[in-house]
């Protein structure tokens, strides 16, 4: 394993993050505050509690998930798309590094950025509502795995995209609707029975449910199923990336 | 001398069906400078891209210092530095961070002294903290070279290194290349400027339509394929050459004010002495005589045109 190369890629990506640290810090704080004002105060005043948890606190895991999923995708997709766009990808492809080392470097950095943003949102949420974390280790594990898997997914999108429009296509048209419809701001049990069945086909439901369980001990689907879903998604993404580097798809031809 | 690069039967057929390389064989020895010449679309960049790992070959083999580029890619690629044709640099990063990144990417431990030496040799040390977008075009090209040298490669590929740069900077680049050769780095250079190959290459390879047409020492190539011409400027303009000169292939040029005579340097006799005597017999008075060796460019154009025919 070429650890020096992994660190070089990781460091370079984190340097880019450091250049925009203020933006990276302020944006999630602002958006979280807005969500609390709109959802927590305006809507929350009409919803007393959800399964014994105040609505303001109930939406915190969903808010964190929404941000780390979208940030994981955008950070990782941009990280590999930008070198392709400006041509510097030649250096990565001509270096004595394996696909796994390249992936660890880029995806590791993107996941770190998402974790940072998740932590900022959690800290901001503390200013608005009281939050209890029933299973802190599970919370960290769910958050880490989600950051990792969605960064892997973003990495695939970044390799696949041929232009900026394609780079935005899947996050905007697929991921954001799935997250909003995945129980970020409501419990699946609040839906009519037919929609409860439909929503179980949304993979994001399993991630948000497991994450919310780590906070309040409440889950829409069994926690084991949530872990299985996230592990399966991670493995699927890793498999696709392995195939991309083996065939050179959109990289070496 | 032992070969540092061996290319055998290298083929590349793109998905579109275009055959960029059709069985290229090439051997490059340690410490030499090889100029790879060819018209646009000849296969130069594809050949370099395959050797460096940017493009997957359709067939054939490439070994770098004995290491196969596919099965032993780590060892093979660690020996190669690539300076691409296009200026491809992260615009908001500093020169220092970029060269440090390149060294780390190739798995080499941090060595600030080496990076400093590289930057100094390319007159970039004063710009180490400058961001790329603040640099001139010539400096950016040198940053590309610095990045390629950061991991101490044994072979350096320069793909059109002086494309679009001014004459002064081009000469500066040649000095850099000479300096690298002095340190034992093997250099493979593609260029559109034949003058560049003529100036710095030890050997010349000509590629056209995906095939190597020839590989030869530059001096030997120019002696073998080069022709000389003799231009005789006349004291008085003439309307036509006397008939006796028709068989000698003389040309009347400059509106009858000069005569052009082509001759082979390898011939036993050049025929110059007898020609001058015959001109004197015809009463043609000479004003000046100039000889000129045909350039590598003329040889190159001749080869490629011949291949196309």
């Amino acid at each position: 394993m070429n650890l020096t190369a992994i660190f070089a890629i990781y460091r370079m990506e984190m340097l880019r993050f450091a250049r925009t640290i203020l933006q990276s810090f302020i944006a999630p704080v602002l958006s979280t505050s807005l969500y609390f004002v709109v959802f927590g105060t305006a809507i929350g005043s009409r919803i007393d509690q959800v399964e014994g948890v105040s609505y303001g606190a109930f939406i915190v895991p969903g808010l964190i998930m929404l941000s780390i999923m979208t940030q994981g995708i955008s950070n990782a997709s941009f990280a590999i798309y930008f070198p392709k766009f400006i041509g510097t990808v030649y250096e990565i492809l001509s270096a004595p590094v394996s696909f796994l080392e390249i992936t660890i470097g880029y995806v590791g950095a993107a996941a770190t950025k998402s974790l940072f943003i998740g932590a900022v949102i959690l800290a901001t949420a503390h200013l608005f509502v009281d939050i209890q974390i029933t299973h802190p280790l599970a919370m960290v594990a769910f958050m880490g795995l989600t950051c990792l898997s969605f960064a892997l997914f973003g990495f695939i999108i970044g390799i696949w995209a041929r232009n900026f429009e394609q780079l935005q296509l899947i996050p905007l048209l697929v991921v954001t609707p799935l997250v909003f419809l995945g129980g970020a701001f409501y419990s699946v049990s609040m839906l009519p029975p037919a929609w409860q069945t439909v929503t179980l086909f949304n993979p994001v439901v399993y991630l948000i449910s497991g994450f919310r369980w780590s906070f309040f001990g409440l889950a829409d689907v069994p926690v084991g199923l949530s872990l299985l879903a996230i592990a399966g998604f991670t493995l699927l993404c890793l498999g696709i990336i392995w195939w991309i580097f083996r065939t050179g798809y959109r990289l070496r031809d | 001398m032992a070969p540092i690069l061996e290319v055998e039967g290298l083929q590349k057929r793109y998905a579109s069906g275009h055959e960029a390389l059709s069985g290229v064989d090439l051997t490059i020895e340690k410490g030499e400078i090889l100029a790879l010449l060819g018209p646009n679309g000849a296969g130069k960049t594809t050949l370099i891209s395959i050797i460096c790992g940017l493009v997957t070959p359709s067939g054939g083999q490439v070994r770098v210092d004995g290491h196969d580029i596919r099965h032993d890619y780590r060892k093979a690629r660690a020996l190669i530095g690539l300076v691409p044709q296009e200026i491809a640099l992260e615009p908001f990063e500093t020169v220092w961070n970029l060269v440090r990144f390149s060294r780390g990417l190739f798995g080499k431990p941090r060595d600030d002294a080496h990076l400093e030496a590289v930057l100094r040799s390319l007159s970039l040390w004063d710009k180490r903290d400058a961001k790329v977008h603040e640099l001139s075009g010539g400096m950016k090209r040198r940053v590309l070279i610095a990045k390629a040298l950061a991991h101490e490669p044994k072979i350096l590929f320069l793909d059109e290194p002086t494309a679009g740069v001014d004459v002064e900077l081009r000469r500066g680049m040649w000095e850099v290349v000479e300096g690298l050769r002095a340190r034992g780095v093997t250099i493979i250079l593609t260029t559109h400027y034949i003058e560049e190959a003529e100036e710095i290459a030890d050997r010349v390879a000509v590629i056209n339509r995906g095939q190597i047409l020839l590989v030869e020492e530059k001096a030997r190539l120019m002696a073998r394929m080069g022709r000389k011409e003799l231009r005789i400027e006349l004291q008085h303009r003439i309307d036509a050459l006397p008939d006796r000169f028709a068989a000698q292939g003389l040309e009347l040029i400059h509106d009858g004010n000069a005569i052009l005579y082509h001759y082979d340097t390898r011939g036993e006799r050049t025929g110059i002495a007898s020609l001058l005597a015959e001109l004197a017999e015809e009463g043609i008075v000479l004003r000046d005589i100039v000889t000129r060796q045909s350039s590598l460019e003329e040889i190159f154009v001749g080869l490629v045109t011949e291949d196309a025919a």
Side-chain angles (χ1 to χ4, degrees), chain A residues 1-2 4-5 7-9 11-12 15-16 19 82 86-99 101 106 247-248 251-253, chain B residues 12 14 52-56 73-74 77-78 82 84 87-93 97-98 100-102 104-109 131 144 147:
Chain A
M1 185 70 81
N2 190 343
T4 314
F7 176 69
I9 296 171
R11 180 180 173 273
M12 200 60 158
L15 279 175
R16 184 184 292 135
R19 276 201 302 270
F82 191 57
I86 62 171
T88 54
V89 75
Y90 82 87
E91 197 176 21
I92 301 289
L93 298 177
S94 63
V97 288
S98 68
F99 96 92
E101 290 152 358
Y106 279 113
T247 58
L251 281 176
R252 285 204 153 85
D253 273 323
Chain B
K12 179 63 192 177
Y14 286 100
C52 295
L54 303 178
V55 169
T56 311
Y73 72 93
R74 285 188 193 269
R77 290 186 198 169
L82 169 64
I87 293 178
L89 292 165
E90 180 115 3
F92 303 107
E93 204 45 81
N97 277 336
L98 285 180
R100 194 182 149 187
F101 168 72
S102 298
L105 187 64
F106 277 72
K108 289 274 183 155
K131 289 184 176 167
L144 283 175
K147 279 168 69 65

Side-chain angles (χ1 to χ4, degrees), chain B residues 232 234 236-242 249-261 284:
Chain B
I232 304 161
L234 307 179
H236 306 290
R237 180 183 172 280
I238 57 172
D239 292 327
L241 282 166
L250 262 61
E251 277 180 66
L252 193 59
I253 58 170
H254 294 171
D255 205 20
N257 287 301
I259 295 168
L260 200 60
Y261 172 58
I284 297 173

Side-chain angles (χ1 to χ4, degrees), chain A residues 200-239:
Chain A
L200 291 179
F201 289 98
N202 179 355
V204 177
V205 166
Y206 298 85
L207 309 184
I208 293 178
S209 168
F211 194 49
R212 186 170 284 138
W213 169 83
S214 69
F215 277 77
F216 313 118
L218 301 169
D220 291 321
V221 291
V223 179
L225 213 53
S226 292
L227 270 174
L228 208 64
I230 198 164
F233 185 54
T234 307
L235 287 175
L236 177 69
C237 290
L238 270 174

Side-chain angles (χ1 to χ4, degrees), chain B:
Chain B
M1 200 173 279
I4 193 157
L5 180 69
E6 297 158 279
V7 178
E8 287 171 13
L10 196 63
Q11 296 176 322
K12 179 63 192 177
R13 183 185 286 273
Y14 286 100
S16 62
H18 170 63
E19 191 163 24
L21 296 178
S22 37
V24 167
D25 295 307
L26 184 64
T27 301
I28 295 169
E29 293 177 355
K30 279 181 186 163
E32 72 169 323
I33 299 179
L34 179 105
L36 186 59
L37 307 179
N40 284 335
K44 303 187 294 288
T45 300
T46 301
L47 176 59
I48 289 182
S49 298
I50 290 175
I51 297 168
C52 295
L54 303 178
V55 169
T56 311
S58 308
Q61 275 196 324
V62 179
R63 284 184 298 277
V64 182
D65 210 13
H67 306 293
D68 185 275
I69 58 159
R70 280 188 282 188
H71 304 116
D72 202 4
Y73 72 93
R74 285 188 193 269
K75 284 182 180 162
R77 290 186 198 169
L79 299 170
I80 296 175
L82 169 64
V83 180
Q85 199 175 123
E86 302 291 332
I87 293 178
L89 292 165
E90 180 115 3
F92 303 107
E93 204 45 81
T94 64
V95 171
W96 180 257
N97 277 336
L98 285 180
V99 289
R100 194 182 149 187
F101 168 72
S102 298
R103 186 173 173 85
L105 187 64
F106 277 72
K108 289 274 183 155
R110 189 172 172 178
D111 185 347
D112 290 355
H114 171 71
L115 296 183
E116 181 180 337
V118 168
L119 290 181
R120 283 192 188 281
S121 72
L122 292 161
S123 307
L124 284 170
W125 180 242
D126 293 342
K127 297 287 178 186
R128 64 189 178 281
D129 294 324
K131 289 184 176 167
V132 166
H133 69 89
E134 298 164 358
L135 303 177
S136 67
M139 283 178 187
K140 286 177 187 164
R141 283 216 174 266
R142 278 182 278 154
V143 173
L144 283 175
I145 297 178
K147 279 168 69 65
L149 294 175
H151 66 280
E152 302 163 65
K154 298 279 181 283
I155 309 178
L156 185 67
F157 284 91
L158 296 161
D159 196 1
E160 304 276 355
T162 56
V165 303
D166 60 39
V167 176
E168 193 182 346
L169 185 63
R170 196 178 305 163
R171 295 213 167 264
M173 288 281 189
W174 295 350
E175 283 171 20
V176 169
V177 170
E178 276 301 330
L180 291 171
R181 189 238 293 268
R183 278 155 43 193
V185 178
T186 306
I187 293 162
I188 292 112
L189 156 98
T190 73
T191 181
H192 271 102
Y193 300 108
I194 312 286
E195 176 202 6
E196 194 160 82
E198 204 167 318
E199 186 77 20
I200 59 177
D202 299 315
R203 285 200 305 158
V204 171
V206 178
I207 185 170
N208 193 31
R209 299 192 297 183
Q211 288 183 317
I212 298 280
L213 300 183
L214 68 81
V215 187
E216 197 159 342
E217 275 180 31
K218 181 186 66 187
R220 196 183 298 170
L221 175 69
M222 292 181 72
R224 185 167 70 84
M225 302 193 71
R227 287 175 65 83
K228 284 195 94 168
E229 66 179 30
L230 175 76
R231 196 173 77 229
I232 304 161
E233 292 180 7
L234 307 179
Q235 190 72 44
H236 306 290
R237 180 183 172 280
I238 57 172
D239 292 327
L241 282 166
D243 292 341
R244 64 189 290 190
F245 297 116
Q248 295 179 30
L250 262 61
E251 277 180 66
L252 193 59
I253 58 170
H254 294 171
D255 205 20
N257 287 301
I259 295 168
L260 200 60
Y261 172 58
H262 294 282
Y263 61 98
D264 193 337
T265 49
R266 294 168 300 159
E268 202 174 298
R269 299 164 70 93
T270 60
I272 294 173
S274 56
L275 173 66
L276 295 180
E278 285 169 24
L279 286 171
E281 281 170 20
E282 292 290 336
I284 297 173
V285 184
L286 315 185
R287 190 162 61 86
D288 198 2
I289 291 174
V290 183
T291 65
R292 193 179 75 85
Q293 170 84 47
S294 60
S295 67
L296 187 58
E297 180 162 2
E298 286 159 326
I299 297 170
F300 166 70
V301 170
L303 274 168
V304 171
T305 312
E306 202 175 285
D307 180 57

